[in-house]
Amino acid sequence: MNANKILCVGTTPAAQRAMVFRKLTLDSVNRAAITVDGVAGKSINVAKVLKVLGEHPIATGFLGGDRGENLRQAIADKGIESDFVTVSARTRQCITVIDETTGMHTELVEESVPVTPPDFEKFMTVVRRQISNCRAVVMSGTIASGGPADFYFNCVDLAKAVGAISVVDAQGTALTEALKAKPDLVKPNRAELAATTGRQFSSEADLKDAMRELYGRGTARVVVTAGKEPVLAFDGKTFWQIVPPQIKAINPIGSGDAFTAGMISRLLRGDDLGEACRWGAAAGAANALTPMPGELNYDDVIRLVDEAKSLRI
């Protein structure tokens, strides 16, 4: 199959370290059994998974300092095309702490440094340059401080102009503004959906009503994730419940990004939303089997897709 070019837009890439401890004791000296260094951030995770799935991702974002250069090289080493904007702010670092005894996963997130409006103008130039050759654009994560609230709105507008599928995986103002441009798909989790619609969910019917509201506000598809719980998807006509495979997770961080990558890959290959989300669930589960986000094994995806279920409800 021919690879689909997919633009992966995110403003806050990160250097990533995963540290695995046999048993973590707070307020004490702990020695890691395993330490893995890599690169992440939501859009970077999406790009890495798309590459494993045989697609042609183009990673974008802001990079700065030594960490930024290391990230740029790491992406190139993986054979992933990129078009980053270099900024003065140093690229952030995030650390995942994994306690094997309890199975707990703790993410220590360094907040990104504010980015200037001229840098965002450069980023929009990158999006304009790259999007015309892409079949889809995926917008992931928060918009870095200093950026316009309508940044994703403008990206969706550009995608619509060239006939590319637009996917928004964001929350708060970034999602609310993007909805005004009528994206093809939005992917909030339940808490983000509640915040966006101002609703509380006491039943599945309440959740469906909130999804219908987002559909009514202009998006063509709504996918709502809930961690280990089943995913709900809606395309304006049909609701699906997607039951993920049962696994023993090593590190679930980045599984939502892997879900997004698996889902958009299959949508571009002609699957309906329910089937695409089944592949997304398999990719999300495969991601959780490895310590570094976004670095799943293709064979795990193929094995787990048979265990994921997509049910019309």
Side-chain angles (χ1 to χ4, degrees), residues 22-286:
R22 303 301 183 210
K23 179 178 173 56
L24 187 69
T25 304
L26 297 181
D27 198 24
S28 179
V29 174
N30 293 267
R31 301 185 187 281
I34 302 171
T35 299
V36 183
D37 287 306
V39 295
K42 291 182 70 64
S43 63
I44 300 300
N45 295 338
V46 171
K48 289 193 293 182
V49 174
L50 285 170
K51 183 67 176 180
V52 172
L53 295 178
E55 305 297 1
H56 182 153
I58 303 171
T60 64
F62 296 117
L63 296 182
D66 56 333
R67 290 178 187 158
E69 287 309 306
N70 290 340
L71 192 153
R72 193 191 307 270
Q73 186 59 53
I75 287 292
D77 289 346
K78 293 180 182 300
I80 297 173
E81 184 179 348
S82 68
D83 195 346
F84 292 108
V85 176
T86 301
V87 296
S88 60
R90 191 187 190 201
T91 295
R92 66 191 180 124
Q93 180 171 46
C94 298
I95 300 173
T96 305
V97 178
I98 301 169
D99 184 339
E100 288 190 324
T101 300
T102 63
M104 294 182 67
H105 312 83
T106 303
E107 185 75 356
L108 307 177
V109 177
E110 178 183 347
E111 290 289 357
S112 59
V113 178
V115 179
T116 67
D119 286 329
F120 266 94
E121 291 174 8
K122 292 178 184 176
F123 196 174
M124 188 55 65
T125 299
V126 168
V127 175
R128 289 192 188 96
R129 177 169 63 242
Q130 294 290 353
I131 204 167
S132 61
N133 296 316
C134 293
R135 292 196 62 202
V137 54
V138 179
M139 293 147 271
S140 306
T142 58
I143 297 172
S145 178
D150 64 355
F151 180 69
Y152 287 160
F153 171 97
N154 292 326
C155 291
V156 172
D157 247 7
L158 289 172
K160 292 172 76 70
V162 300
I165 293 176
S166 54
V167 178
V168 180
D169 183 2
Q171 59 180 304
T173 304
L175 174 58
T176 302
E177 288 297 312
L179 280 168
K180 296 175 182 177
K182 303 185 185 308
D184 292 288
L185 190 151
V186 296
K187 185 184 151 287
N189 61 34
R190 292 194 181 196
E192 292 161 357
L193 179 63
T196 302
T197 60
R199 296 170 178 259
Q200 297 298 317
F201 311 133
S202 58
S203 66
E204 186 178 274
D206 292 339
L207 186 58
K208 286 182 174 181
D209 284 344
M211 294 171 72
R212 289 188 185 97
E213 179 181 328
L214 285 198
Y215 178 80
R217 287 165 68 173
T219 184
R221 306 173 185 90
V222 184
V223 176
V224 180
T225 57
K228 299 177 184 177
E229 300 302 312
V231 172
L232 286 186
F234 179 56
D235 66 357
K237 295 180 180 179
T238 304
F239 279 97
W240 288 269
Q241 181 186 70
I242 297 88
V243 181
Q246 296 300 303
I247 60 164
K248 183 177 181 181
I250 294 174
N251 179 16
I253 304 298
S255 288
D257 307 320
F259 183 106
T260 300
M263 175 186 64
I264 189 61
S265 174
R266 299 308 301 188
L267 284 174
L268 290 175
R269 295 183 185 278
D271 288 350
D272 65 24
L273 183 59
E275 179 65 5
C277 286
R278 192 169 72 89
W279 281 83

